[in-house]
Amino acid sequence: MRATAYYLRFRGPVRALPRATTLLGHLFWWYRYTHGKEALEGLLERLQETDFRLSSAFPEGWLPRPKLPPLQVEDTDLRKRLKNLSLLSFATFQQVAERGEEALLEAPEAKEEEGRLTPPIPRRLRRTRVGIDRGTGGARQGILFAQDLLFPSGRYAVYALGEPPFDLKEGLEFVGAMGYGGLASVGAGWFLVEEVRPVDLPEAREPNAYVTLSPGPLEGALYYEPEPYWGRLGGGYVGARPFKAPHLRAKEGSVYRKRDGFLLLDVTPSEPPEMGVRVWEALQVFPLGVRV
């Protein structure tokens, strides 16, 4: 499938790698800042009718493993190696899309230690922090917590299908300059958009189902991994009560029978951040064809 790849390089640590739903939230705030509230409302109304889809970020040349029916393997070591595969190279993804998990038996990702193909894994740093008393600005007694930071290496790619309803490169550059996710004020989540170019993503030639590269709705999912999610408000509402309404969604790699799933889910908290405001989460199927 022909898509457009936006290659990102992180300039420091990040709390979590960009995922499509949160990335779209950042982009929608950027759109509101540059075009106004009414323009954003109009964009959300027509978004479901467009073919625009945005993926989560993955290491360049790697995609999430499709959540297909698992292969039964007796060899314990091989079974463990297969279980730990979460990302596949483009070449292996193509084979799995055509033949199912049986193709993993020949994949270089499933080899024994010598010669095994592995994706770049971000270095993880865990640090301990104290809670801050917002009244005094000092340390809050009894509040100590651990915080993980990721240090990605190499380039990451987000993919776009269809015609973006706004200047996607300009929007991503804004997000990269302001910082994706938490701790942006101390430099986390900053990235550069290094390159934009067309790319052919691997998929089955005669598909009868579709893998998503974005968190998607549970409705229509055939094989999927559910994920409880309790997102935080961002943009102009970071000072309000922080959490959106919790919901369940399907993780990247989940498989759908149809390719056009899209849902604007109402996740407005019980106390809206502003009178009359509704909060939406864009759950979409970014479809790559597979055979099941």
Side-chain angles (χ1 to χ4, degrees):
M1 173 178 288
R2 176 56 63 96
T4 302
Y6 295 76
Y7 293 102
L8 317 179
R9 188 177 294 278
F10 290 93
R11 302 166 60 193
V14 62
R15 290 288 305 279
L17 294 172
R19 301 182 69 185
T21 46
T22 306
L23 197 53
L24 281 171
H26 281 290
L27 290 167
F28 291 155
W29 273 109
W30 160 76
Y31 194 81
R32 174 170 169 165
Y33 296 147
T34 55
H35 294 73
K37 179 181 177 183
E38 290 73 21
L40 174 61
E41 292 173 345
L43 170 65
L44 293 176
E45 286 182 2
R46 68 177 185 276
L47 194 61
Q48 299 183 70
E49 309 303 324
T50 72
D51 58 355
F52 171 64
R53 296 290 185 270
L54 186 70
S55 80
S56 299
F58 305 103
E60 184 176 6
W62 294 81
L63 291 172
R65 174 182 178 177
K67 301 189 186 303
L68 296 170
L71 188 67
Q72 301 300 315
V73 177
E74 293 186 0
D75 183 283
T76 302
D77 290 338
L78 177 57
R79 186 168 62 250
K80 288 181 177 178
R81 293 199 297 275
L82 294 179
K83 182 181 178 182
N84 291 331
L85 292 180
S86 59
L87 294 171
L88 304 179
S89 66
F90 276 20
T92 300
F93 187 97
Q94 175 76 56
Q95 293 300 314
V96 172
E98 294 280 3
R99 300 160 48 202
E101 291 222 327
E102 184 178 348
L104 291 177
L105 298 177
E106 306 162 7
E109 292 93 327
K111 287 184 177 180
E112 296 186 9
E113 194 63 38
E114 185 176 356
R116 184 187 304 174
L117 182 62
T118 58
I121 304 298
R123 182 169 59 88
R124 183 181 295 272
L125 172 67
R126 170 160 289 188
R127 62 181 184 179
T128 304
R129 300 189 63 187
V130 297
I132 300 298
D133 188 318
R134 295 181 181 275
T136 65
R140 188 174 178 184
Q141 188 172 6
I143 302 297
L144 183 66
F145 62 96
Q147 189 173 61
D148 288 333
L149 290 173
L150 302 178
F151 291 81
S153 61
R155 298 202 302 183
Y156 278 70
V158 294
Y159 304 103
L161 291 179
E163 186 66 28
F166 44 73
D167 189 327
L168 183 52
K169 181 173 183 290
E170 181 182 336
L172 288 173
E173 288 174 338
F174 176 86
V175 176
M178 298 299 292
Y180 170 89
L183 299 179
S185 62
V186 294
W190 294 6
F191 61 79
L192 299 173
V193 182
E194 281 199 341
E195 184 183 6
V196 180
R197 63 178 169 85
V199 61
D200 289 318
L201 295 176
E203 64 174 348
R205 285 183 287 273
E206 296 180 359
N208 57 6
Y210 299 90
V211 177
T212 180
L213 302 187
S214 162
L218 291 182
E219 294 82 357
L222 190 59
Y223 302 107
Y224 60 96
E225 181 178 349
E227 176 184 39
Y229 193 75
W230 198 13
R232 288 174 176 266
L233 295 166
Y237 295 140
V238 292
R241 292 173 65 88
F243 292 106
K244 307 173 186 176
H247 62 278
L248 275 177
R249 63 190 191 184
K251 296 180 72 171
E252 296 91 336
S254 296
V255 176
Y256 291 77
R257 180 62 75 186
K258 297 182 178 178
R259 56 172 296 155
D260 54 355
F262 188 97
L263 175 65
L264 273 180
L265 183 67
D266 188 341
V267 291
T268 307
S270 56
E271 294 183 21
E274 186 178 340
M275 184 66 71
V277 162
R278 309 303 298 175
V279 182
W280 304 98
E281 192 88 348
L283 300 175
Q284 50 171 348
V285 176
F286 186 113
L288 290 184
V290 294
R291 290 196 60 79
V292 298

